[in-house]
Each structure stands twice: as structure tokens, then as C-alpha cells.
Amino acid sequence: MAVHDDCKLKFLELKAKRTYRFIVYKIEEKQKQVIVEKLGEPAQSYEDFTASLPADECRYAVYDFDFVTAENVQKSRIFFIAWCPDTSRVRSKMIYASSKDRFKRELDGIQVELQATDPTEMDLDVIKSRAS
């Protein structure tokens, strides 16, 4: 599975310049490559992010999560989320599962990985507990 250059470039912008809050990636099956499907503006919320994931199709996503520690220190964690809802096609689940590790290696700087098959597995409480 090829990875479009844009995938890495946009990730670097998210990581270094904080240009985006999130990036949603899609596998184009015909071209056999991962592409950027959607970019989230820095002001967008976690709800905006989850709303941009299709209910019945797999996606990869990166989310830049800001939080304050118990010591009152502002921090951020870059999450890699493999979104594979139970309702997606079996073939699609297989392609995303088999390509995930290779794609994730292309994105240098992922701090937390999460796999989700339904929205409850990646709700804000899960993100908060995995961030700290």
C-alpha cells in the first residue's frame, strides 16, 4: 500500500506547527494508496473530529489532543486512531488492518495508538485516560 506524500507533509505540519487539530486518512482501494481525506482546523473540537469519521467505513486518523495535567501543566498528545466500525465491509477491514503498521511507521511522532470499532471506544473519556 503506497502512502501519498501529502499524508506525511500534513502530519508534520500538525506535529511541528500545530496547523491542524486532526487529519482523517482514507485508503483509495483503486489507486492502492493512503490519502488525506479531511483536515481539521485548530479551533475544531473533538466532537467535530468524531463527526468527520464515517459511521460504516474504516479510516485512519490522527488527533492532536491538548490537556492539562493534575500539576496544572499544559500538554498535548498525538493520537493515532484506527477506526474500523463493525458495520464496515469485511474486505475494507482487512485492508485497513493489514496496512496499519506500515502506515503508522510513516508518521513519526505518534504518541498514543487507539483502535475503535464503535464510538464508545474512542469517546473523550477514553482519550483523556490514555493521554495521561
Side-chain angles (χ1 to χ4, degrees), residues 20-69:
Y20 310 107
R21 172 65 55 203
F22 63 84
I23 307 170
V24 178
Y25 299 99
K26 174 183 183 179
I27 292 179
E28 275 295 342
E29 288 187 35
K30 288 183 180 72
Q31 287 100 2
K32 294 200 177 345
Q33 72 170 348
V34 183
I35 59 162
V36 172
E37 182 181 52
K38 185 172 172 53
L39 297 166
E41 296 302 315
Q44 288 189 284
S45 69
Y46 191 72
E47 287 71 32
D48 296 324
F49 164 63
T50 55
S52 68
L53 295 171
D56 56 359
E57 288 180 40
C58 300
R59 291 291 185 273
Y60 299 130
V62 170
Y63 186 83
D64 187 7
F65 179 64
D66 291 326
F67 63 102
V68 178
T69 66

Side-chain angles (χ1 to χ4, degrees), residues 11-127:
F11 177 75
L12 288 172
E13 288 175 26
L14 176 144
K15 185 174 84 166
K17 300 185 191 135
R18 310 206 63 193
T19 315
Y20 310 107
R21 172 65 55 203
F22 63 84
I23 307 170
V24 178
Y25 299 99
K26 174 183 183 179
I27 292 179
E28 275 295 342
E29 288 187 35
K30 288 183 180 72
Q31 287 100 2
K32 294 200 177 345
Q33 72 170 348
V34 183
I35 59 162
V36 172
E37 182 181 52
K38 185 172 172 53
L39 297 166
E41 296 302 315
Q44 288 189 284
S45 69
Y46 191 72
E47 287 71 32
D48 296 324
F49 164 63
T50 55
S52 68
L53 295 171
D56 56 359
E57 288 180 40
C58 300
R59 291 291 185 273
Y60 299 130
V62 170
Y63 186 83
D64 187 7
F65 179 64
D66 291 326
F67 63 102
V68 178
T69 66
E71 296 79 37
N72 214 16
V73 179
Q74 184 73 38
K75 283 196 165 180
S76 106
R77 286 273 183 271
I78 297 176
F79 277 78
F80 177 86
I81 298 168
W83 170 245
C84 269
D86 291 329
T87 51
S88 56
R89 295 185 351 258
V90 172
R91 176 175 162 70
S92 178
K93 287 183 205 176
M94 287 168 51
I95 291 170
Y96 275 82
S98 63
S99 307
K100 181 180 66 117
D101 288 337
R102 184 190 172 313
F103 177 60
K104 207 175 77 182
R105 278 198 299 275
E106 299 280 340
L107 308 178
D108 185 35
I110 299 288
Q111 293 161 308
V112 185
E113 183 186 336
L114 203 63
Q115 295 205 41
T117 57
D118 75 68
T120 62
E121 293 178 344
M122 54 176 270
D123 67 16
L124 202 49
D125 292 335
V126 174
I127 296 291

